[in-house]
């Protein structure tokens, strides 16, 4: 059985509404997970119960919560279309799913393979930031934006029914939209979980850069984001300090970007990111050669280096944070924690993402592995 792990691909022209067709992929199938449906306000866009896939591990006191990604919907029209797919409805989710690869790999080489693991199905369309109190009426139906209640429902179910109340440690992680959700919700998850339990996070491919495209224009994604911020009710989720900082300019929606939101976070987090993220280069930055960087001409290469430099500059608060770990490579990829090649193969100063995260998490080591990109290929170990 396959888990519906939908992710944004760099060949797409935009983030919003091209997820009607769900991509199925499994990097390595070695564990069977069972679907757990939630109740109450934890619902998908179409109002069907949200849920997660769960596998009990041998380490009873350790829990990994993984937030799946899968793009975004920014308008009522887009979100209605999404509600007709498994990215906005649970009606077609299978009862069991095979999951593996990267941090979810079930082999002994992965130190997290024996943890109790919950893989949250992404179905709110708002990168888990959505927290609208009332449904949005559209096309003779209601659309629900309940990303925060969904994750809250997962945490509560794990605490009450899966033994997490007796845990010693919990990791919240996720990729792409799930990586963004990790930034938004990590401090909230820390509040929801008893204080005696250690909580840390790892955000993969969730640091989206606030930038114009190579032509100096805002992509459709940026143009529609202010409206999406209101549609999703994200103001009910994001840090008040960040919202207040943008209140005078009316740009509170910019708190959806980790580069602005991060400085107000308090829970330790590890950042896994590419500074030349393939999806961002293609969809947000619209670099003409994004699909094949080896084909870039000199002008395009200079645009690539400009993007990478701006990306590294945006990390200033994370770099100076003593409790934050980092593995920021210069590989044209997206979502590395689910790929065995990227997770265990890409190197910065002799460290892989897997070894850097393990050193930070288990040993408390200060890890700041950050590539530079001034000459392509920027990192020859890229997988």
């Amino acid at each position: 059985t396959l888990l519906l792990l939908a992710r944004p691909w760099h060949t797409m022209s935009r983030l919003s509404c091209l997820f009607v067709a769900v991509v199925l992929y499994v990097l390595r199938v070695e564990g069977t997970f069972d679907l757990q449906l939630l109740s109450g306000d934890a619902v998908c866009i179409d109002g069907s119960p949200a849920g997660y896939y769960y596998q009990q591990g041998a380490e009873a006191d350790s829990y990994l919560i993984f937030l799946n990604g899968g793009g975004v919907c920014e308008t009522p029209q887009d979100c209605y279309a999404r509600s007709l797919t498994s990215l906005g409805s649970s009606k077609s989710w299978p009862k069991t799913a095979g999951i593996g690869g990267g941090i979810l790999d079930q082999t002994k080489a992965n130190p997290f393979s024996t943890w109790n693991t919950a893989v949250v199905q992404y179905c709110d369309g708002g990168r888990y930031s959505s927290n609208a109190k009332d449904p949005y009426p559209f096309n003779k139906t209601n659309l629900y934006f309940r990303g925060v209640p969904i994750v809250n429902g997962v945490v509560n179910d794990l605490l009450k029914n899966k033994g997490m109340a007796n845990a010693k440690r919990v990791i919240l992680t996720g990729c792409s939209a799930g990586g963004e959700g990790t930034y938004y919700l990590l401090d909230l998850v820390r509040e929801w979980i008893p204080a005696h339990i250690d909580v840390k996070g790892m955000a993969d491919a969730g640091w989206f850069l606030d930038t114009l495209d190579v032509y100096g224009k805002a992509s459709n994604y940026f143009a529609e984001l202010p409206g999406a911020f209101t549609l999703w009710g994200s103001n009910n989720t994001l840090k008040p300090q960040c919202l207040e900082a943008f209140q005078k300019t009316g740009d509170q929606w910019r708190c959806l970007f980790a580069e602005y939101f991060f400085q107000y976070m308090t829970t330790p987090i590890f950042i896994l990111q590419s500074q030349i993220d393939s999806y961002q280069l293609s969809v947000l930055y619209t670099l003409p050669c994004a699909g094949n960087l080896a084909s870039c001409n000199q002008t395009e290469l200079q645009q690539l280096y400009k993007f990478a430099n701006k990306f590294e500059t945006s990390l200033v608060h994370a770099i100076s944070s003593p409790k934050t770990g980092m593995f920021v490579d210069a590989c044209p990829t997206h979502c590395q924690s689910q790929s065995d090649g990227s997770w265990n193969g890409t190197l910065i100063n002799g460290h892989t993402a897997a070894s850097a995260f393990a050193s930070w998490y288990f040993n408390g080591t200060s890890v700041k592995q950050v590539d530079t990109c001034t000459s392509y290929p920027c990192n020859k170990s890229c997988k």
Side-chain angles (χ1 to χ4, degrees):
T1 305
L2 298 183
L3 173 62
L4 305 188
L5 284 174
R7 70 189 284 186
W9 297 95
H10 69 274
T11 53
M12 294 183 178
S13 60
R14 59 181 295 185
L15 279 170
S16 298
C17 61
L18 295 184
F19 289 88
V20 174
V22 178
V23 179
L24 303 182
Y25 75 95
V26 175
L27 296 172
R28 181 178 295 173
V29 179
E30 293 191 6
T32 300
F33 288 61
D34 298 316
L35 178 62
Q36 315 291 315
L37 292 176
L38 304 170
S39 59
D41 291 337
V43 296
C44 300
I45 298 173
D46 71 338
S48 60
Y52 65 100
Y53 285 90
Y54 181 74
Q55 183 183 64
Q56 184 175 343
E59 292 190 51
D61 58 2
S62 303
Y63 287 75
L64 180 75
I65 303 172
F66 188 96
L67 306 180
N68 266 339
V72 65
C73 64
E74 297 180 319
T75 68
Q77 293 86 348
D78 285 352
C79 293
Y80 174 73
R82 192 181 181 94
S83 75
L84 304 178
T85 77
S86 59
L87 284 170
S89 172
S90 64
K91 293 177 181 177
S92 64
W93 294 353
K95 293 183 178 180
T96 60
I99 303 173
I103 197 170
L104 299 176
D105 187 8
Q106 299 296 299
T107 61
K108 293 181 178 179
N110 176 22
F112 305 102
S113 64
T114 55
W115 286 35
N116 301 290
T117 303
V119 179
V120 182
Q121 286 294 84
Y122 177 40
C123 70
D124 80 295
R127 307 184 310 198
Y128 299 94
S129 74
S130 68
N131 198 7
K133 305 304 180 184
D134 299 314
Y136 186 92
F138 183 79
N139 199 22
K140 298 181 181 180
T141 189
N142 286 324
L143 305 178
Y144 297 84
F145 300 101
R146 301 283 172 78
V148 176
I150 289 171
V151 178
N152 179 256
V154 172
V155 170
N156 285 338
D157 194 60
L158 291 171
L159 288 170
K160 295 177 181 178
N161 301 314
K162 305 299 181 187
M164 197 169 75
N166 299 314
K168 291 183 179 178
R169 59 194 68 85
V170 173
I171 292 175
L172 178 70
T173 184
C175 148
S176 194
E180 292 178 282
T182 300
Y183 288 117
Y184 305 147
L185 301 185
L186 181 58
D187 284 350
L188 286 175
V189 170
R190 169 66 283 178
E191 292 178 12
W192 299 335
I193 291 177
H196 70 273
I197 301 174
D198 180 71
V199 176
K200 291 183 174 67
M202 183 185 74
D204 177 11
W207 195 285
F208 281 73
L209 192 61
D210 182 11
T211 185
L212 299 176
D213 64 20
V214 293
Y215 307 107
K217 300 178 180 179
S219 66
N220 288 335
Y221 168 78
F222 289 111
E224 294 175 347
L225 199 53
F229 173 81
T230 301
L231 179 68
W232 300 335
S234 301
N235 60 301
N236 297 317
T237 303
L238 302 177
K239 292 283 188 179
Q241 306 97 306
C242 186
L243 296 174
E244 290 170 7
F246 285 100
Q247 188 170 8
K248 289 184 178 180
T249 59
D251 292 334
Q252 294 177 311
W253 58 273
R254 292 189 186 276
C255 291
L256 289 166
F257 290 96
E259 63 178 289
Y260 307 126
F261 186 84
F262 176 84
Q263 61 184 301
Y264 304 106
M265 295 179 64
T266 58
T267 308
I269 190 169
F270 187 93
I271 297 171
L272 174 58
Q273 183 70 48
S274 168
Q275 60 187 251
I276 54 170
D277 183 290
S278 57
Y279 187 66
Q280 296 190 50
L281 288 180
S282 177
V283 177
L284 306 186
Y285 197 50
T286 62
L287 184 68
C289 59
N292 179 16
L293 295 184
S295 69
C296 292
N297 59 39
Q298 285 302 311
T299 298
E300 291 167 339
L301 284 176
Q302 292 305 312
Q303 292 169 329
L304 174 69
Y305 305 148
K306 179 181 178 180
F307 182 90
N309 180 261
K310 185 174 182 180
F311 207 107
E312 187 172 348
T313 300
S314 78
L315 296 166
V316 58
H317 292 294
I319 291 173
S320 63
S321 170
K323 63 188 175 186
T324 301
M326 304 175 69
F327 189 91
V328 181
D329 58 56
C331 295
T333 187
H334 189 70
C335 285
Q336 301 178 79
S337 64
Q338 293 173 281
S339 166
D340 289 321
S342 296
W343 182 243
N344 295 302
T346 298
L347 297 172
I348 304 178
N349 298 320
H351 297 275
T352 64
S355 66
F357 178 63
S359 180
W360 175 81
Y361 184 78
F362 292 110
N363 303 329
T365 306
S366 177
V367 177
K368 305 281 187 184
Q369 298 296 340
V370 180
D371 255 343
T372 56
C373 185
T374 56
S375 178
Y376 186 81
C378 305
N379 184 325
K380 294 182 180 180
S381 72
C382 295
K383 304 297 181 182

